[in-house]
Amino acid sequence: MANGLPNDARQQLEALYAEMQPKSLYPLWEVLAALVTKQPQAPTQAAKWSFPEVRDYLMRAGDLISAHDAERRVLILENPGLPGTSGITTSLYAGLQLILPGEIAPCHRHSQCALRFIMDGDGAFTAVDGEKAIMRPFDLVLTPNWQWHDHGNTTSRPMIWLDGLDIPTVRHFDASFAEKLGDDVHPETVSADDSMTRYGRNLRPLRGSKADRRPAHQPLFHYPYAEWRDSLAALASSEAPDPHLGHALEFVNPADGGPIMPTIAAHVRLLPQGFTTRARRSTDATVYVVVEGHGDAKIGDVEHKLSQGDIFVVPSWQELSLTAGSELVLFGYSDRAAQEKLGLYRESKD
Ligand code: 1HN
């Protein structure tokens, strides 16, 4: 804002603004400080959802609309600071999806990439390009962008998972494409979990060979709980936790050792009972799931009680300190993958 101007000049400027406005012209000097802030000024608010509460609403929706009619039966976790955007942060989306026994969520593909983090139920599948991943509690399953995907539940129990997508990021770039396969289910191309044996064991089929099925940049799409939990446990029994993170492991794309997808990074952490992390902030607003245990999250100046199943979001550049009331295990995802490529990512630690 150009302050301290004589009244006369101010009046003439206002007249100039009024004359320019119909031509879609505006003075930068009136808005510069709000455009280029000294530090992030996120509209995103810290927020928390309780899984049992969302589950009840989701089951009620399940009585009223089928997965087929809904295409995807999902309750969006919209950030209270971002009304009308369907975003949980300014770049990411989160929702809880229900698929009932016998249902199919029909096959489609889109520019948005997605992760699924399994919250409830055991044994339903996501198929990616015709390869089923059998989903077990707290597994991480990816749907990289533009890959065909359908979900099906052949078990006798409802299946609920968290969907994390880069919807607001794709909207930001006006780069959204989507199409339906037409058939509900993609033809099965290989047996279930085939990619894990080809690409998930520090091996890959020789490049260009017939066995090299998956896209080279995104070969693996299933990270089972049994594996990541075991690694976290081994880490926790071998050394002291990092003061700011606890014991933390990032999920990586075996093609390049980088984040799981071009726009989204994901990790898990374990805090021993009684441990409190030192405050840390970062530019990647992060969505967390409480996988095991209970505790507290201090976000900025506000304390939030954490129970198993809670989903909570920490806005960009707000300090986070976690306390484990019992051994606490968290899953988290953020847009750090995109920010690092753009040279924007920063963090600071107390
Ligand atoms: C989508 O394709 C899925 O495939 C879930 O399960 C949520 C939200 C917006 C756009 C596409 C899915 C979605 C979505």
Side-chain angles (χ1 to χ4, degrees), residues 72 74 93 97 105 108 110 112 114 116 143 149 151 161 163 165 167:
R72 296 295 186 265
V74 182
Y93 157 105
Q97 177 160 181
H108 68 193
H110 38 68
Q112 291 80 3
R116 332 274 170 201
T143 311
H149 55 286
H151 316 296
W161 61 81
D163 288 314
L165 287 89
I167 291 170

Side-chain angles (χ1 to χ4, degrees), residues 3-13:
N3 285 323
L5 291 172
N7 262 351
D8 192 32
R10 169 57 53 195
Q11 273 175 9
Q12 290 184 50
L13 275 173

Side-chain angles (χ1 to χ4, degrees), residues 250 259 265 335-347:
E250 182 180 358
D335 64 8
R336 208 202 67 229
Q339 288 199 32
E340 283 187 336
K341 288 190 196 79
L342 299 174
L344 295 172
Y345 180 74
R346 285 202 201 191
E347 57 183 48

Side-chain angles (χ1 to χ4, degrees), residues 227-350:
E227 291 181 8
W228 67 254
R229 187 64 182 84
D230 190 50
S231 295
L232 259 191
L235 189 60
S237 67
S238 68
E239 62 186 36
D242 178 87
H244 294 91
L245 296 170
H247 301 288
L249 291 168
E250 182 180 358
F251 295 98
V252 297
N253 178 347
D256 56 12
I260 46 169
M261 291 185 289
T263 49
I264 305 181
H267 73 279
V268 282
R269 35 175 115 173
L270 182 155
L271 275 60
Q273 180 174 14
F275 186 74
T276 296
T277 63
R278 294 179 63 175
R280 171 185 179 273
R281 56 188 176 168
S282 59
T283 50
D284 61 330
T286 303
V287 181
Y288 291 96
V289 177
V290 181
V291 177
E292 292 168 27
H294 61 89
D296 291 278
K298 190 169 177 220
I299 306 173
D301 295 327
V302 183
E303 295 266 3
H304 303 261
K305 285 245 158 296
L306 300 180
S307 315
Q308 199 277 325
D310 283 350
I311 298 160
F312 65 101
V313 55
V314 180
S316 166
W317 216 239
Q318 286 203 18
E319 273 189 343
L320 171 66
S321 166
L322 292 161
T323 298
S326 59
E327 185 175 69
L328 186 65
V329 178
L330 303 178
F331 165 78
Y333 71 97
S334 79
D335 64 8
R336 208 202 67 229
Q339 288 199 32
E340 283 187 336
K341 288 190 196 79
L342 299 174
L344 295 172
Y345 180 74
R346 285 202 201 191
E347 57 183 48
S348 87
K349 297 170 179 173
D350 273 4

